PDB file of all heavy atoms in Angstrom:
ATOM      1  N   HIS A   1     103.198 103.603  76.228  1.00  0.00           N
ATOM      2  CA  HIS A   1     101.860 103.708  76.800  1.00  0.00           C
ATOM      3  C   HIS A   1     101.809 103.331  78.271  1.00  0.00           C
ATOM      4  O   HIS A   1     100.946 103.789  78.997  1.00  0.00           O
ATOM      5  CB  HIS A   1     100.873 102.840  76.019  1.00  0.00           C
ATOM      6  CG  HIS A   1     100.496 103.425  74.705  1.00  0.00           C
ATOM      7  ND1 HIS A   1      99.244 103.908  74.449  1.00  0.00           N
ATOM      8  CD2 HIS A   1     101.216 103.640  73.573  1.00  0.00           C
ATOM      9  CE1 HIS A   1      99.187 104.386  73.213  1.00  0.00           C
ATOM     10  NE2 HIS A   1     100.385 104.225  72.669  1.00  0.00           N
ATOM     11  N   ASN A   2     102.704 102.483  78.689  1.00  0.00           N
ATOM     12  CA  ASN A   2     102.674 102.057  80.092  1.00  0.00           C
ATOM     13  C   ASN A   2     104.005 102.280  80.792  1.00  0.00           C
ATOM     14  O   ASN A   2     104.359 101.544  81.684  1.00  0.00           O
ATOM     15  CB  ASN A   2     102.231 100.602  80.208  1.00  0.00           C
ATOM     16  CG  ASN A   2     103.173  99.648  79.518  1.00  0.00           C
ATOM     17  OD1 ASN A   2     104.244 100.026  79.071  1.00  0.00           O
ATOM     18  ND2 ASN A   2     102.770  98.399  79.426  1.00  0.00           N
ATOM     19  N   LYS A   3     104.730 103.343  80.407  1.00  0.00           N
ATOM     20  CA  LYS A   3     106.068 103.565  80.960  1.00  0.00           C
ATOM     21  C   LYS A   3     106.071 103.740  82.468  1.00  0.00           C
ATOM     22  O   LYS A   3     107.022 103.375  83.120  1.00  0.00           O
ATOM     23  CB  LYS A   3     106.757 104.738  80.274  1.00  0.00           C
ATOM     24  CG  LYS A   3     106.090 106.073  80.430  1.00  0.00           C
ATOM     25  CD  LYS A   3     106.826 107.116  79.630  1.00  0.00           C
ATOM     26  CE  LYS A   3     106.009 108.400  79.590  1.00  0.00           C
ATOM     27  NZ  LYS A   3     106.599 109.352  78.672  1.00  0.00           N
ATOM     28  N   GLN A   4     105.040 104.279  83.047  1.00  0.00           N
ATOM     29  CA  GLN A   4     104.979 104.423  84.501  1.00  0.00           C
ATOM     30  C   GLN A   4     104.199 103.295  85.162  1.00  0.00           C
ATOM     31  O   GLN A   4     103.976 103.307  86.353  1.00  0.00           O
ATOM     32  CB  GLN A   4     104.362 105.771  84.857  1.00  0.00           C
ATOM     33  CG  GLN A   4     105.222 106.925  84.391  1.00  0.00           C
ATOM     34  CD  GLN A   4     104.617 108.254  84.756  1.00  0.00           C
ATOM     35  OE1 GLN A   4     103.679 108.340  85.548  1.00  0.00           O
ATOM     36  NE2 GLN A   4     105.148 109.315  84.203  1.00  0.00           N
ATOM     37  N   LEU A   5     103.795 102.329  84.355  1.00  0.00           N
ATOM     38  CA  LEU A   5     103.041 101.193  84.878  1.00  0.00           C
ATOM     39  C   LEU A   5     103.859  99.908  84.856  1.00  0.00           C
ATOM     40  O   LEU A   5     103.322  98.823  84.949  1.00  0.00           O
ATOM     41  CB  LEU A   5     101.760 100.995  84.057  1.00  0.00           C
ATOM     42  CG  LEU A   5     100.788 102.158  84.039  1.00  0.00           C
ATOM     43  CD1 LEU A   5      99.687 101.909  83.023  1.00  0.00           C
ATOM     44  CD2 LEU A   5     100.213 102.403  85.415  1.00  0.00           C
ATOM     45  N   ALA A   6     105.183 100.028  84.714  1.00  0.00           N
ATOM     46  CA  ALA A   6     106.045  98.852  84.576  1.00  0.00           C
ATOM     47  C   ALA A   6     105.893  97.887  85.755  1.00  0.00           C
ATOM     48  O   ALA A   6     105.934  96.671  85.574  1.00  0.00           O
ATOM     49  CB  ALA A   6     107.501  99.284  84.432  1.00  0.00           C
ATOM     50  N   CYS A   7     105.698  98.402  86.954  1.00  0.00           N
ATOM     51  CA  CYS A   7     105.547  97.531  88.122  1.00  0.00           C
ATOM     52  C   CYS A   7     104.259  96.713  88.060  1.00  0.00           C
ATOM     53  O   CYS A   7     104.116  95.719  88.754  1.00  0.00           O
ATOM     54  CB  CYS A   7     105.594  98.348  89.404  1.00  0.00           C
ATOM     55  SG  CYS A   7     104.301  99.593  89.505  1.00  0.00           S
ATOM     56  N   LEU A   8     103.328  97.097  87.197  1.00  0.00           N
ATOM     57  CA  LEU A   8     102.055  96.395  87.080  1.00  0.00           C
ATOM     58  C   LEU A   8     101.985  95.533  85.821  1.00  0.00           C
ATOM     59  O   LEU A   8     100.935  95.015  85.481  1.00  0.00           O
ATOM     60  CB  LEU A   8     100.906  97.412  87.050  1.00  0.00           C
ATOM     61  CG  LEU A   8     100.865  98.413  88.193  1.00  0.00           C
ATOM     62  CD1 LEU A   8      99.812  99.471  87.926  1.00  0.00           C
ATOM     63  CD2 LEU A   8     100.619  97.726  89.507  1.00  0.00           C
ATOM     64  N   GLN A   9     103.111  95.393  85.121  1.00  0.00           N
ATOM     65  CA  GLN A   9     103.138  94.751  83.818  1.00  0.00           C
ATOM     66  C   GLN A   9     102.548  93.341  83.835  1.00  0.00           C
ATOM     67  O   GLN A   9     101.782  92.980  82.956  1.00  0.00           O
ATOM     68  CB  GLN A   9     104.568  94.719  83.280  1.00  0.00           C
ATOM     69  CG  GLN A   9     104.681  94.370  81.824  1.00  0.00           C
ATOM     70  CD  GLN A   9     104.035  95.437  80.949  1.00  0.00           C
ATOM     71  OE1 GLN A   9     103.691  96.520  81.389  1.00  0.00           O
ATOM     72  NE2 GLN A   9     103.852  95.114  79.699  1.00  0.00           N
ATOM     73  N   ALA A  10     102.895  92.541  84.825  1.00  0.00           N
ATOM     74  CA  ALA A  10     102.374  91.168  84.874  1.00  0.00           C
ATOM     75  C   ALA A  10     100.863  91.170  85.009  1.00  0.00           C
ATOM     76  O   ALA A  10     100.173  90.357  84.404  1.00  0.00           O
ATOM     77  CB  ALA A  10     103.011  90.412  86.039  1.00  0.00           C
ATOM     78  N   ARG A  11     100.336  92.103  85.763  1.00  0.00           N
ATOM     79  CA  ARG A  11      98.899  92.180  85.987  1.00  0.00           C
ATOM     80  C   ARG A  11      98.160  92.686  84.744  1.00  0.00           C
ATOM     81  O   ARG A  11      97.024  92.325  84.496  1.00  0.00           O
ATOM     82  CB  ARG A  11      98.643  93.108  87.169  1.00  0.00           C
ATOM     83  CG  ARG A  11      97.198  93.320  87.477  1.00  0.00           C
ATOM     84  CD  ARG A  11      96.579  92.067  88.120  1.00  0.00           C
ATOM     85  NE  ARG A  11      95.163  92.217  88.261  1.00  0.00           N
ATOM     86  CZ  ARG A  11      94.562  92.787  89.290  1.00  0.00           C
ATOM     87  NH1 ARG A  11      95.268  93.273  90.274  1.00  0.00           N
ATOM     88  NH2 ARG A  11      93.261  92.876  89.322  1.00  0.00           N
ATOM     89  N   LEU A  12      98.827  93.527  83.967  1.00  0.00           N
ATOM     90  CA  LEU A  12      98.182  94.149  82.818  1.00  0.00           C
ATOM     91  C   LEU A  12      98.573  93.493  81.494  1.00  0.00           C
ATOM     92  O   LEU A  12      98.435  94.080  80.444  1.00  0.00           O
ATOM     93  CB  LEU A  12      98.545  95.641  82.778  1.00  0.00           C
ATOM     94  CG  LEU A  12      98.127  96.442  84.006  1.00  0.00           C
ATOM     95  CD1 LEU A  12      98.679  97.851  83.924  1.00  0.00           C
ATOM     96  CD2 LEU A  12      96.633  96.448  84.167  1.00  0.00           C
ATOM     97  N   ARG A  13      99.037  92.268  81.534  1.00  0.00           N
ATOM     98  CA  ARG A  13      99.552  91.602  80.330  1.00  0.00           C
ATOM     99  C   ARG A  13      98.492  91.377  79.251  1.00  0.00           C
ATOM    100  O   ARG A  13      98.802  91.262  78.089  1.00  0.00           O
ATOM    101  CB  ARG A  13     100.211  90.279  80.695  1.00  0.00           C
ATOM    102  CG  ARG A  13      99.256  89.209  81.165  1.00  0.00           C
ATOM    103  CD  ARG A  13      99.972  87.961  81.657  1.00  0.00           C
ATOM    104  NE  ARG A  13      99.034  86.961  82.099  1.00  0.00           N
ATOM    105  CZ  ARG A  13      98.376  87.008  83.244  1.00  0.00           C
ATOM    106  NH1 ARG A  13      98.541  88.016  84.067  1.00  0.00           N
ATOM    107  NH2 ARG A  13      97.526  86.057  83.583  1.00  0.00           N
ATOM    108  N   LEU A  14      97.219  91.345  79.610  1.00  0.00           N
ATOM    109  CA  LEU A  14      96.163  91.133  78.632  1.00  0.00           C
ATOM    110  C   LEU A  14      95.637  92.442  78.051  1.00  0.00           C
ATOM    111  O   LEU A  14      94.673  92.441  77.296  1.00  0.00           O
ATOM    112  CB  LEU A  14      95.003  90.363  79.275  1.00  0.00           C
ATOM    113  CG  LEU A  14      95.334  88.967  79.787  1.00  0.00           C
ATOM    114  CD1 LEU A  14      94.122  88.355  80.477  1.00  0.00           C
ATOM    115  CD2 LEU A  14      95.818  88.080  78.662  1.00  0.00           C
ATOM    116  N   SER A  15      96.268  93.547  78.389  1.00  0.00           N
ATOM    117  CA  SER A  15      95.793  94.852  77.929  1.00  0.00           C
ATOM    118  C   SER A  15      96.217  95.114  76.489  1.00  0.00           C
ATOM    119  O   SER A  15      97.125  94.482  75.963  1.00  0.00           O
ATOM    120  CB  SER A  15      96.316  95.957  78.838  1.00  0.00           C
ATOM    121  OG  SER A  15      97.725  96.008  78.766  1.00  0.00           O
ATOM    122  N   THR A  16      95.530  96.057  75.856  1.00  0.00           N
ATOM    123  CA  THR A  16      95.818  96.470  74.485  1.00  0.00           C
ATOM    124  C   THR A  16      96.189  97.944  74.504  1.00  0.00           C
ATOM    125  O   THR A  16      95.507  98.746  75.140  1.00  0.00           O
ATOM    126  CB  THR A  16      94.573  96.273  73.597  1.00  0.00           C
ATOM    127  OG1 THR A  16      94.179  94.900  73.656  1.00  0.00           O
ATOM    128  CG2 THR A  16      94.866  96.653  72.156  1.00  0.00           C
ATOM    129  N   THR A  17      97.251  98.294  73.816  1.00  0.00           N
ATOM    130  CA  THR A  17      97.677  99.679  73.714  1.00  0.00           C
ATOM    131  C   THR A  17      96.581 100.486  73.030  1.00  0.00           C
ATOM    132  O   THR A  17      96.037 100.068  72.021  1.00  0.00           O
ATOM    133  CB  THR A  17      98.985  99.753  72.900  1.00  0.00           C
ATOM    134  OG1 THR A  17      99.956  98.921  73.535  1.00  0.00           O
ATOM    135  CG2 THR A  17      99.516 101.158  72.817  1.00  0.00           C
ATOM    136  N   THR A  18      96.251 101.652  73.598  1.00  0.00           N
ATOM    137  CA  THR A  18      95.140 102.436  73.067  1.00  0.00           C
ATOM    138  C   THR A  18      95.363 103.926  73.268  1.00  0.00           C
ATOM    139  O   THR A  18      96.182 104.333  74.094  1.00  0.00           O
ATOM    140  CB  THR A  18      93.805 102.024  73.726  1.00  0.00           C
ATOM    141  OG1 THR A  18      92.722 102.629  73.042  1.00  0.00           O
ATOM    142  CG2 THR A  18      93.761 102.406  75.181  1.00  0.00           C
ATOM    143  N   ILE A  19      94.617 104.716  72.503  1.00  0.00           N
ATOM    144  CA  ILE A  19      94.471 106.142  72.763  1.00  0.00           C
ATOM    145  C   ILE A  19      92.984 106.474  72.661  1.00  0.00           C
ATOM    146  O   ILE A  19      92.234 105.805  71.946  1.00  0.00           O
ATOM    147  CB  ILE A  19      95.288 107.041  71.802  1.00  0.00           C
ATOM    148  CG1 ILE A  19      94.901 106.828  70.339  1.00  0.00           C
ATOM    149  CG2 ILE A  19      96.770 106.881  72.027  1.00  0.00           C
ATOM    150  CD1 ILE A  19      95.592 107.774  69.369  1.00  0.00           C
ATOM    151  N   SER A  20      92.583 107.476  73.399  1.00  0.00           N
ATOM    152  CA  SER A  20      91.232 107.997  73.311  1.00  0.00           C
ATOM    153  C   SER A  20      91.363 109.442  72.855  1.00  0.00           C
ATOM    154  O   SER A  20      92.277 110.154  73.280  1.00  0.00           O
ATOM    155  CB  SER A  20      90.565 107.921  74.689  1.00  0.00           C
ATOM    156  OG  SER A  20      89.272 108.450  74.654  1.00  0.00           O
ATOM    157  N   LEU A  21      90.480 109.873  71.973  1.00  0.00           N
ATOM    158  CA  LEU A  21      90.617 111.176  71.321  1.00  0.00           C
ATOM    159  C   LEU A  21      89.393 112.054  71.596  1.00  0.00           C
ATOM    160  O   LEU A  21      88.478 112.141  70.775  1.00  0.00           O
ATOM    161  CB  LEU A  21      90.813 110.970  69.821  1.00  0.00           C
ATOM    162  CG  LEU A  21      92.027 110.085  69.483  1.00  0.00           C
ATOM    163  CD1 LEU A  21      91.923 109.532  68.083  1.00  0.00           C
ATOM    164  CD2 LEU A  21      93.301 110.872  69.673  1.00  0.00           C
ATOM    165  N   PRO A  22      89.364 112.736  72.754  1.00  0.00           N
ATOM    166  CA  PRO A  22      88.166 113.500  73.114  1.00  0.00           C
ATOM    167  C   PRO A  22      87.866 114.693  72.213  1.00  0.00           C
ATOM    168  O   PRO A  22      86.730 115.158  72.175  1.00  0.00           O
ATOM    169  CB  PRO A  22      88.450 113.953  74.547  1.00  0.00           C
ATOM    170  CG  PRO A  22      89.885 113.747  74.779  1.00  0.00           C
ATOM    171  CD  PRO A  22      90.375 112.745  73.798  1.00  0.00           C
ATOM    172  N   ASP A  23      88.843 115.204  71.461  1.00  0.00           N
ATOM    173  CA  ASP A  23      88.617 116.402  70.643  1.00  0.00           C
ATOM    174  C   ASP A  23      88.503 116.136  69.150  1.00  0.00           C
ATOM    175  O   ASP A  23      88.229 117.052  68.382  1.00  0.00           O
ATOM    176  CB  ASP A  23      89.753 117.407  70.870  1.00  0.00           C
ATOM    177  CG  ASP A  23      89.810 117.881  72.301  1.00  0.00           C
ATOM    178  OD1 ASP A  23      88.735 118.066  72.908  1.00  0.00           O
ATOM    179  OD2 ASP A  23      90.925 118.057  72.824  1.00  0.00           O
ATOM    180  N   ILE A  24      88.700 114.918  68.708  1.00  0.00           N
ATOM    181  CA  ILE A  24      88.786 114.662  67.273  1.00  0.00           C
ATOM    182  C   ILE A  24      87.452 114.872  66.548  1.00  0.00           C
ATOM    183  O   ILE A  24      87.435 115.331  65.407  1.00  0.00           O
ATOM    184  CB  ILE A  24      89.369 113.254  66.984  1.00  0.00           C
ATOM    185  CG1 ILE A  24      89.848 113.177  65.549  1.00  0.00           C
ATOM    186  CG2 ILE A  24      88.373 112.171  67.329  1.00  0.00           C
ATOM    187  CD1 ILE A  24      90.688 111.951  65.244  1.00  0.00           C
ATOM    188  N   LEU A  25      86.345 114.573  67.195  1.00  0.00           N
ATOM    189  CA  LEU A  25      85.055 114.772  66.527  1.00  0.00           C
ATOM    190  C   LEU A  25      84.748 116.250  66.338  1.00  0.00           C
ATOM    191  O   LEU A  25      84.311 116.663  65.265  1.00  0.00           O
ATOM    192  CB  LEU A  25      83.925 114.099  67.306  1.00  0.00           C
ATOM    193  CG  LEU A  25      83.909 112.582  67.263  1.00  0.00           C
ATOM    194  CD1 LEU A  25      82.815 112.041  68.175  1.00  0.00           C
ATOM    195  CD2 LEU A  25      83.725 112.086  65.851  1.00  0.00           C
ATOM    196  N   SER A  26      84.991 117.057  67.365  1.00  0.00           N
ATOM    197  CA  SER A  26      84.721 118.490  67.227  1.00  0.00           C
ATOM    198  C   SER A  26      85.655 119.122  66.206  1.00  0.00           C
ATOM    199  O   SER A  26      85.257 120.023  65.466  1.00  0.00           O
ATOM    200  CB  SER A  26      84.839 119.199  68.575  1.00  0.00           C
ATOM    201  OG  SER A  26      86.144 119.068  69.103  1.00  0.00           O
TER     202      SER A  26
END
């Protein structure tokens, strides 16, 4: 989820892995 955000890892340590599904309801 954060493979290109590795340089920001210390800053984003409180984050939660997530996905958003814009088409699932339709």
Side-chain angles (χ1 to χ4, degrees):
H1 285 249
N2 62 8
K3 62 184 170 188
Q4 296 181 13
L5 300 171
C7 60
L8 306 172
Q9 193 65 12
R11 178 73 187 273
L12 300 173
R13 69 186 180 284
L14 298 176
S15 64
T16 302
T17 303
T18 190
I19 59 175
S20 178
L21 303 161
D23 298 322
I24 198 168
L25 289 175
S26 61

